[in-house]
């Protein structure tokens, strides 16, 4: 449901912009207002799952998300939609933080864990593919409101299945505490950082407003780091960053998700604003990418990782994604789908190799007492990377489009020029990810013969 919501909203963005009169830069807040609380609250939500039981947090999150979806569908103004999208992000963080932990805990064998992670990635790709097609159909047939209202039956069905199927957990108890101050600092800092980037399109990158917001965001994030160093029970113990694979995989994931998520936004806008595709046609045009990612992650990623290792497979997947971005640089104003877009969609299937390999590397060096927060950190950087990528690249694209229009370039060419700049920056991010993978990441200890022997004596578990 989380992935469905992200992709279904993407296709409906032009209709939402026209109906609620969003400005081009403010439109990104339809996405970011959801992503920022989602990413900022994952660590706290995972901790609450440990304290009061994962099932309780999952059910509470489902309830919040479903009610917020109803309010999004009833939104009559841009401000109301942004507020209710924020509430959606809170609910999504609650059940997403504990659901991944539930899945990973079931599989302690490295080969089985790789298969489970591949299946998890496949589920996400299926949600994305359904969302892209369903979003177009609902937007064209019933209106954009229904891309949110569709979550009501899904949320009710998910809760109805979770109640009888999931085991009840008592948890550690609230006496162990949760670092709410740390969660407030990291959420506030992340939100202000993205807001500063979005506002830069209107006020300028060197303006006092932009620099002031960025400075406050940095102070809040620095406060979060200081809080984690001093707190008796920190939200994110800083010792997890001693592992090169942990911090390296998280940095690489932020770069990859910034490029991939912004690509999803801008290619949809290109097809609708430049090529004049309808919402349904846009969803169908993007379907091959999601299906390829899902197929690769389910059928091939685990087997390839077992044979060649996560680092090698990650590099291969990143090269495919980078090749797709290079093809985007030649998109014309009158692009043809088969010649210009379909090859990009197929190469984007490299994400089916990148995401499972990154997940395995990000969790490979986690100690048993830090496995939960390491998993929460990985989910957090995923969402923050997506939010920052959309905000930064959308702002750059809008600025480039405005400059070209001021030079007398016709609208379609100006829009295409703006999207080209976003694709270039996305390619630079992916190239940086390739370099970091080659320089920083190391073969996980679990893949060495000595570690294999230790695992036989005492299998590691990931909470």
């Amino acid at each position: 449901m989380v992935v469905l919501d992200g992709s279904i909203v993407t296709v409906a963005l032009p209709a939402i912009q026209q109906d609620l009169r969003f400005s081009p830069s403010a439109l990104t807040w339809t996405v970011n207002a959801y992503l920022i609380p989602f990413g900022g609250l994952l660590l706290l939500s995972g901790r609450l799952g440990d304290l009061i039981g994962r099932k309780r947090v999952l059910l509470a999150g489902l309830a919040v998300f479903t009610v917020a979806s109803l309010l999004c569908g009833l939104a009559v103004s841009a401000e109301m939609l942004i507020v209710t999208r924020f509430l959606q992000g809170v609910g999504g963080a609650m059940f997403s933080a504990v659901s991944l932990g539930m899945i990973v805990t079931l599989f302690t064998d490295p080969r089985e864990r790789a298969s489970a992670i591949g299946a998890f990635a496949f589920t996400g790709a299926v949600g994305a593919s359904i969302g892209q097609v369903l979003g177009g159909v609902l937007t064209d047939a019933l209106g954009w409101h229904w891309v949110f209202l569709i979550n009501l039956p899904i949320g009710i069905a998910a809760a109805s299945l979770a109640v009888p199927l999931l085991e009840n957990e008592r948890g550690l108890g609230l006496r162990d505490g949760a670092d709410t101050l740390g969660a407030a600092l990291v959420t506030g800092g992340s939100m202000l950082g993205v807001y500063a980037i979005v506002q830069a399109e209107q006020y300028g990158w060197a303006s006092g407003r932009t620099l002031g917001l960025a400075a406050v965001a940095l102070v809040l994030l620095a406060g979060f780091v200081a809080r984690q160093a001093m707190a008796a029970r920190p939200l994110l113990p800083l010792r997890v960053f001693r592992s090169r694979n942990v911090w390296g995989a998280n940095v690489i994931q932020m770069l990859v998700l910034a490029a991939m998520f912004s690509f999803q936004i801008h290619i949809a806008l290109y097809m609708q604003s430049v090529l004049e595709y309808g919402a349904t046609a846009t969803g169908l045009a993007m379907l091959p990418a999601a299906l390829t990612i899902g197929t690769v992650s389910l059928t091939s990623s685990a087997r390839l990782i077992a044979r060649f290792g996560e680092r090698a497979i990650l590099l291969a997947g990143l090269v495919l994604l980078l090749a797709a971005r290079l093809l985007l640089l030649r998109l014309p104003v009158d692009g043809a789908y088969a010649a210009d877009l379909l090859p990009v969609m197929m190469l984007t299937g490299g994400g089916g190799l990148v995401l499972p390999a990154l997940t395995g590397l990000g969790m490979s060096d986690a100690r048993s007492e830090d496995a939960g927060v390491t998993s929460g950190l990985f989910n957090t950087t995923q969402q923050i990377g997506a939010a920052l990528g959309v905000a930064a690249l959308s702002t750059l694209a809008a600025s480039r489009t405005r400059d070209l229009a001021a030079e007398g370039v016709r609208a379609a060419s100006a829009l295409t020029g703006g999207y080209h700049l976003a694709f270039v920056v996305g390619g630079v991010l992916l190239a940086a990810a390739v370099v970091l993978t080659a320089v920083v990441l190391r073969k996980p200890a679990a893949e060495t013969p000595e570690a294999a022997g230790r695992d036989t004596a005492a299998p590691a578990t990931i909470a």
Side-chain angles (χ1 to χ4, degrees):
M1 184 167 63
V2 170
V3 180
L4 171 70
D5 185 76
S7 59
I8 203 172
V9 172
T10 299
V11 178
L13 283 179
I16 293 174
Q17 180 180 16
Q18 182 178 4
D19 192 20
L20 298 184
R21 298 181 180 179
F22 274 98
S23 67
S25 59
L27 182 63
T28 61
W29 278 98
T30 306
V31 177
N32 291 332
Y34 172 82
L35 289 175
I36 293 302
F38 191 111
L41 294 174
L42 279 167
L43 291 173
L44 178 61
S45 299
R47 178 61 174 161
L48 287 176
D50 293 335
L51 297 177
I52 66 176
R54 295 184 183 94
K55 180 177 180 178
R56 292 178 181 176
V57 173
L58 183 141
L59 290 173
L62 280 172
V64 172
F65 187 93
T66 305
V67 171
S69 297
L70 173 62
L71 296 176
C72 286
L74 299 177
V76 294
S77 66
E79 293 78 12
M80 180 178 177
L81 182 60
I82 290 174
V83 170
T84 51
R85 285 286 282 168
F86 185 94
L87 185 61
Q88 260 192 321
V90 174
M94 293 173 69
F95 67 78
S96 294
V98 295
S99 61
L100 180 58
M102 290 177 177
I103 293 171
V104 178
T105 303
L106 295 174
F107 301 95
T108 58
D109 178 76
R111 188 180 296 269
E112 290 184 350
R113 185 180 301 143
S115 297
I117 291 173
F120 186 72
F122 169 77
T123 305
V126 169
S129 61
I130 293 175
Q132 289 162 357
V133 177
L134 188 60
V137 172
L138 290 175
T139 301
D140 285 342
L142 299 175
W144 64 264
H145 301 274
W146 283 90
V147 304
F148 299 109
L149 297 177
I150 192 64
N151 288 328
L152 270 66
I154 300 176
I156 294 172
S160 300
L161 290 171
V163 170
L165 292 180
L166 297 180
E167 295 183 2
N168 293 312
E169 297 175 313
R170 296 187 61 182
L172 300 174
L174 289 174
R175 64 183 181 278
D176 285 339
D179 188 13
T180 53
L181 176 59
L185 287 170
V186 71
T187 304
S190 300
M191 178 172 290
L192 274 179
V194 175
Y195 183 68
I197 295 172
V198 172
Q199 290 294 293
E201 193 274 331
Q202 179 178 356
Y203 295 98
W205 290 92
S207 68
R209 180 187 180 91
T210 300
L211 295 176
L213 289 171
V216 174
L218 290 175
V219 168
L220 290 175
L221 293 175
F224 169 73
V225 175
R227 168 69 179 175
Q228 302 315 289
M230 296 183 297
R233 297 180 178 86
L235 189 67
L236 177 62
L238 299 183
R239 61 178 176 268
V240 302
F241 293 105
R242 295 172 186 169
S243 166
R244 293 177 63 153
N245 279 353
V246 169
W247 69 260
N250 278 277
V251 172
I252 292 167
Q253 178 174 235
M254 290 185 68
L255 296 172
V256 171
L257 266 294
M260 290 183 66
F261 206 88
S262 62
F263 156 76
Q264 185 181 11
I265 298 290
H266 295 121
I267 200 66
L269 292 174
Y270 166 78
M271 286 188 284
Q272 295 194 47
S273 301
V274 177
L275 301 184
E276 298 182 350
Y277 283 21
T280 301
T282 300
L284 291 173
M286 297 175 67
L287 185 59
L291 291 180
T292 305
I293 291 174
T295 301
V296 171
S297 62
L298 182 64
T299 62
S300 304
S301 62
R303 184 172 64 255
L304 292 173
I305 287 172
R307 181 172 180 179
F308 300 105
E310 283 123 337
R311 183 172 173 270
I313 297 306
L314 174 58
L315 279 171
L318 288 173
V319 169
L320 291 174
L321 292 179
L322 183 56
R325 294 308 172 273
L326 293 177
L327 289 180
L328 286 170
L329 301 183
R330 64 182 184 88
L331 280 182
V333 175
D334 55 348
Y337 181 76
D340 298 313
L341 290 174
L342 184 58
V344 173
M345 300 300 173
M346 301 306 295
L347 286 172
T348 303
L353 299 176
V354 169
L355 300 178
L358 266 178
T359 304
L361 286 163
M363 299 300 300
S364 61
D365 292 336
R367 300 189 304 180
S368 57
E369 62 269 28
D370 295 330
V373 295
T374 305
S375 177
L377 172 66
F378 195 77
N379 280 300
T380 299
T381 56
Q382 184 181 77
Q383 301 304 321
I384 296 299
L388 291 176
V390 170
L393 272 66
S394 295
T395 300
L396 290 173
S399 297
R400 177 61 176 164
T401 297
R402 186 182 63 247
D403 293 342
L404 291 173
E407 296 173 3
V409 177
R410 64 190 185 95
S413 297
L415 286 169
T416 304
Y419 300 143
H420 278 170
L421 178 59
F423 297 145
V424 168
V425 177
V428 172
L429 296 177
L430 291 172
V434 171
V435 174
L436 285 176
T437 300
V439 173
V440 174
L441 298 184
R442 294 291 181 264
K443 187 175 183 179
E447 294 181 15
T448 65
E450 295 82 0
R454 290 195 301 269
D455 286 345
T456 300
T461 59
I462 294 180

